[in-house]
Amino acid sequence: MSVLYLHPEDLETCMEGGDGRVLSRRIQEAIEQIASSGGGCLELGCGDWLCATLFLRSRVELRLARGCRLVADPDMSHYTPAPHPWSDYKHPCKSFLIAEGCEQVALTGPGVIDGSCMSFWEPCEHEDERPHGIFRFKPKQSAVHGPTPLVELARCRDLVVDGVTIVNSPGWTLHVYDSDHVSVRNVTIRNNRLVPYTDGIGINGCRDVRVAHCDVDTGDDAIIIKATHPDLNCERVTVTNCVASSNCSAFGLGADAAGTIRDVVFSHCVAARALRMIQVEQWYAGTIERAIFSNITGRTFPDEGIHCERPIYVDIQQWTRGPADSDGEGTPPLGIVRDLVFHSILCETRGRIVLTAQDGSRIENVSLDNIHLRIPEIEDPATTVPAARSMQLSNFNPETRAARAALVADNVDGLDVRDVRVSWPDTPEVPMEATCLRRCENVRIESPALSSCHPRHL
């Protein structure tokens, strides 16, 4: 494979009062040169590279050498608008790195991609300005929203992202859409934990995906599987040997599942801290089925002042609220969630396992096996849940969303609970029950720590 090397001293220096379009143009020319010659590798050498939009091409590897720092230009007018491939949004997408319809394309490290996050966000002055009541930053009045997704890889085949570090993303970080045979490995992500919408690794409507040995620390969902388009399936996905931290979910499916998510495995992973260690959420009329979460350990305990912890959270609800909207349209159909296995899960937490489905839907066939919750202190859901402004709190299940129980299940058909243990504080200040069940059928509880207490039924 031919390799072309570029170094900052070979080009115009632009970090001091420079213009990201200068280096973008030179780097893009080099990418096109390699692509037109049949493929190869472009290696950017040690140093800072201030750039705007770069387009990757088929059979081209963009390699960031050790000491290379590819920095996103803070001036959004320098970016090239591209079609929004993954939603029905009317505005174009402005990303930093884009691969669209490519084959055998690679982005590799060990260099760094810096998204210049704080060029686009500023601290909230008042608590009521905080997005969802969780985050501490709002968009700058003078700034257009930064490049998001920072790295957008859409409709690709045989795609590799390996060894790169991504920091300071102002929005979604690494987003892979409608692609086949994808490998994301040895990727490190470090974002500001109090900036919203900074999802780490998003796999959206893809097939045959392997995510392994990644370390993600971010404010929004860390490693998340989606299917935002109703005609796309996200299937045959494995996530293994990863470490994740988030003020939302560490490891999750949904909530954007207008299509189908199926045959997904998360295994041998660690949640260093998260608001929700494991989540499966459905807000649309799609399907989430056949997913296994196994051999996962860690803790919730997000940043100070962020409440409503859940080690395992499964929920079905509708995106829009109310029986009919202003256009006279009825309540949208509810999605499907079924055939979930949670096995060998250890979590230190202040929260609860919550399995809820809006009336009119059912979560089907859930297995909880060999799960141990260590609860050193109890976060009272009867207090924290009503005070929260999150969209992810079983908003259509008023009878159970704030129930004081270690395991809450509402509208579940087929719940198999085996060897689920809860280690409570020695002197709990909040009266908690083992289980709270509402409209559940085909329930089997074979857990001495739970079945010794008579289940509470609503």
Side-chain angles (χ1 to χ4, degrees):
M1 179 176 67
S2 62
V3 180
L4 175 62
Y5 299 94
L6 289 181
H7 298 276
E9 58 268 24
D10 300 331
L11 305 173
E12 298 178 50
T13 303
C14 61
M15 283 302 294
E16 294 296 332
D19 185 332
R21 292 173 293 188
V22 176
L23 282 183
S24 299
R25 184 172 60 252
R26 297 293 298 275
I27 294 172
Q28 192 66 53
E29 289 172 353
I31 291 173
E32 302 298 343
Q33 175 186 337
I34 295 171
S36 64
S37 66
C41 174
L42 172 62
E43 179 171 314
L44 301 183
C46 178
D48 288 333
W49 304 74
L50 181 68
C51 297
T53 304
L54 293 173
F55 291 90
L56 307 180
R57 300 302 186 198
S58 293
R59 292 170 292 280
V60 174
E61 174 188 351
L62 178 61
R63 181 188 303 162
L64 309 182
R66 188 173 303 279
C68 171
R69 193 173 191 89
L70 196 61
V71 182
D73 191 331
D75 189 340
M76 290 303 297
S77 68
H78 296 165
Y79 288 74
T80 303
H84 225 296
W86 42 269
S87 76
D88 294 328
Y89 295 168
K90 302 302 182 184
H91 60 275
C93 172
K94 288 188 175 182
S95 292
F96 187 32
L97 298 181
I98 299 175
E100 168 70 30
C102 296
E103 294 185 358
Q104 300 177 36
V105 61
L107 172 64
T108 63
V112 174
I113 298 171
D114 189 329
S116 304
C117 178
M118 287 301 104
S119 296
F120 308 100
W121 297 90
E122 62 185 5
C124 297
E125 297 177 3
H126 307 288
E127 187 170 344
D128 58 4
E129 294 179 326
R130 295 177 177 178
H132 309 296
I134 294 175
F135 301 104
R136 304 292 188 267
F137 288 85
K138 61 182 180 180
K140 285 185 176 180
Q141 295 290 332
S142 59
V144 179
H145 200 290
T148 183
L150 188 69
V151 180
E152 173 68 42
L153 311 173
R155 301 187 181 94
C156 295
R157 185 176 179 87
D158 298 325
L159 169 67
V160 173
V161 182
D162 188 359
V164 70
T165 294
I166 308 176
V167 301
N168 301 325
S169 178
W172 287 15
T173 307
L174 173 60
H175 181 245
V176 187
Y177 177 76
D178 188 16
S179 295
D180 295 274
H181 302 290
V182 177
S183 175
V184 179
R185 56 182 183 255
N186 305 311
V187 171
T188 299
I189 294 176
R190 293 288 183 271
N191 292 334
N192 189 314
R193 297 201 300 246
L194 297 174
V195 171
Y197 317 124
T198 54
D199 296 53
I201 297 172
I203 305 299
N204 187 351
C206 298
R207 282 77 50 193
D208 301 301
V209 180
R210 307 293 176 258
V211 179
H213 304 286
C214 294
D215 186 347
V216 181
D217 189 344
T218 188
D220 222 315
D221 299 331
I223 302 177
I224 192 74
I225 313 299
K226 297 176 179 286
T228 57
H229 196 285
D231 296 333
L232 288 180
N233 295 343
C234 197
E235 52 192 355
R236 300 183 299 277
V237 180
T238 63
V239 179
T240 59
N241 300 98
C242 293
V243 177
S245 300
S246 170
N247 281 325
C248 287
S249 71
F251 309 108
L253 309 179
D256 306 329
T260 296
I261 300 172
R262 67 160 63 99
D263 298 329
V264 178
V265 174
F266 285 78
S267 67
H268 299 88
C269 293
V270 174
R273 53 158 201 87
L275 182 60
R276 300 177 299 278
M277 187 166 84
I278 299 170
Q279 78 167 33
V280 179
E281 287 189 282
Q282 178 56 287
W283 290 350
Y284 295 92
T287 299
I288 299 175
E289 61 184 0
R290 302 200 301 265
I292 298 175
F293 296 83
S294 70
N295 297 88
I296 296 175
T297 186
R299 64 201 308 263
T300 52
F301 290 84
D303 282 347
E304 185 177 357
I306 298 175
H307 304 292
C308 304
E309 299 174 22
R310 280 145 291 168
I312 299 174
Y313 179 55
V314 181
D315 182 63
I316 301 174
Q317 64 174 288
Q318 61 190 28
W319 174 248
T320 57
R321 299 169 181 270
D325 58 27
S326 59
D327 296 327
E329 297 179 357
T331 300
L334 292 161
I336 296 170
V337 175
R338 62 192 175 200
D339 303 332
L340 307 178
V341 173
F342 302 90
H343 175 71
S344 296
I345 309 293
L346 306 177
C347 185
E348 182 181 24
T349 183
R350 291 176 286 211
R352 310 161 294 153
I353 297 173
V354 178
L355 317 174
T356 49
Q358 182 178 341
D359 287 352
S361 64
R362 309 280 278 179
I363 299 168
E364 302 176 40
N365 302 326
V366 177
S367 173
L368 300 170
D369 180 24
N370 189 27
I371 294 174
H372 185 190
L373 305 183
R374 181 169 299 279
I375 304 179
E377 58 183 283
I378 297 171
E379 180 186 79
D380 186 0
T383 301
T384 57
V385 172
R389 291 191 279 129
S390 173
M391 296 179 292
Q392 296 166 313
L393 277 168
S394 308
N395 293 306
F396 292 87
N397 298 74
E399 295 179 79
T400 51
R401 67 194 294 260
R404 287 173 165 170
L407 170 60
V408 178
D410 189 345
N411 281 316
V412 179
D413 184 358
L415 176 60
D416 190 4
V417 181
R418 301 187 184 191
D419 193 21
V420 175
R421 292 160 288 160
V422 181
S423 299
W424 299 102
D426 293 335
T427 56
E429 297 181 359
V430 179
M432 296 287 286
E433 299 176 89
T435 60
C436 176
L437 309 180
R438 174 184 178 268
R439 299 186 64 176
C440 293
E441 299 178 356
N442 302 311
V443 176
R444 179 173 60 177
I445 298 179
E446 295 182 359
S447 296
L450 294 182
S451 56
S452 60
C453 303
H454 186 73
R456 177 190 174 200
H457 291 269
L458 295 178

